[in-house]
Amino acid sequence: MDGTQATLPVRILGIDPGSRITGYGIIDLNGVKPSYVSSGCIRTSDGPLEQRLAQIYAGLSEVVGLYRPTDTAIERVFLSKNVDSALKLGQARGAALVCMANHGLGVAEYAARRIKEAVTGQGGADKLQVQHMVTALLKLSATPQADAADALAIALTHAYSCNGLPVAASGRSRRASTGRWRL
């Protein structure tokens, strides 16, 4: 051995939960350069909420089994004017969190505003800006669907924060006194 230590690649699964559409995005991080692996959406049927939650769980379970992520990240719950929608979103997040826990994966949580800031440089960016920047940052040949792009943005935010990389668009990052990256 020459004394150098190879860094193991990190595979990050980003999850954008929703009771109708749950986006997922998977990137690899080998060193400091993120690369695209896969993305898509889990679309639930029009059945009762408990059946849709089961579909989210099963879909994410399949994604985890197929791609074997080492890290996972999810969007943090935000306040909504529509209480019913916020509750359903929270339940979709719950299905995703239980799925990750049952696969032995911890989950990092990021606020929507921080995700947008990390990828676009603006916390108030719209979905089109997020899609555009995700496409550019990962050098994709086509623009991913909005929920898949949001999930890829979540994965990129996790990559930037956990590995000490500068935030893509703004070049800013902060280190807490504990030495961990904080968003």
Side-chain angles (χ1 to χ4, degrees):
M1 300 209 71
D2 62 4
T4 59
Q5 184 177 1
T7 57
L8 296 175
V10 175
R11 178 159 286 178
I12 303 168
L13 166 61
I15 303 168
D16 180 38
S19 64
R20 296 278 179 198
I21 302 173
T22 292
Y24 67 88
I26 301 155
I27 62 171
D28 278 346
L29 188 63
N30 197 356
V32 295
K33 187 173 191 279
S35 60
Y36 176 82
V37 175
S38 182
S39 63
C41 295
I42 299 164
R43 298 178 189 280
T44 62
S45 65
D46 289 334
L49 180 60
E50 63 272 14
Q51 292 302 314
R52 289 184 283 157
L53 296 175
Q55 291 168 8
I56 292 166
Y57 183 99
L60 287 173
S61 212
E62 186 176 326
V63 168
V64 168
L66 185 61
Y67 293 103
R68 305 272 185 226
T70 57
D71 288 30
T72 59
I74 194 167
E75 187 174 356
R76 187 176 292 148
V77 171
F78 58 92
L79 296 177
S80 174
K81 292 179 182 176
N82 183 330
V83 175
D84 189 52
S85 294
L87 287 171
K88 287 179 182 172
L89 173 62
Q91 290 168 325
R93 280 183 85 254
L97 291 170
V98 169
C99 181
M100 296 307 111
N102 283 344
H103 283 88
L105 295 165
V107 181
E109 297 182 42
Y110 299 95
R113 185 167 187 79
R114 184 61 182 120
I115 295 162
K116 292 173 185 179
E117 183 181 299
V119 176
T120 71
Q122 299 176 26
D126 64 26
K127 284 197 173 281
L128 288 176
Q129 290 171 304
V130 171
Q131 284 177 293
H132 173 77
M133 286 306 296
V134 164
T135 302
L137 290 168
L138 293 173
K139 297 175 178 46
L140 303 177
S141 60
T143 303
Q145 193 270 345
D147 296 291
D150 287 349
L152 287 166
I154 293 164
L156 285 166
T157 301
H158 187 66
Y160 298 146
S161 69
C162 289
N163 293 294
L165 299 175
V167 174
S170 67
R172 293 179 299 173
S173 58
R174 293 180 210 139
R175 185 178 292 271
S177 60
T178 61
R180 293 189 46 103
W181 288 89
R182 185 182 296 178
L183 293 182

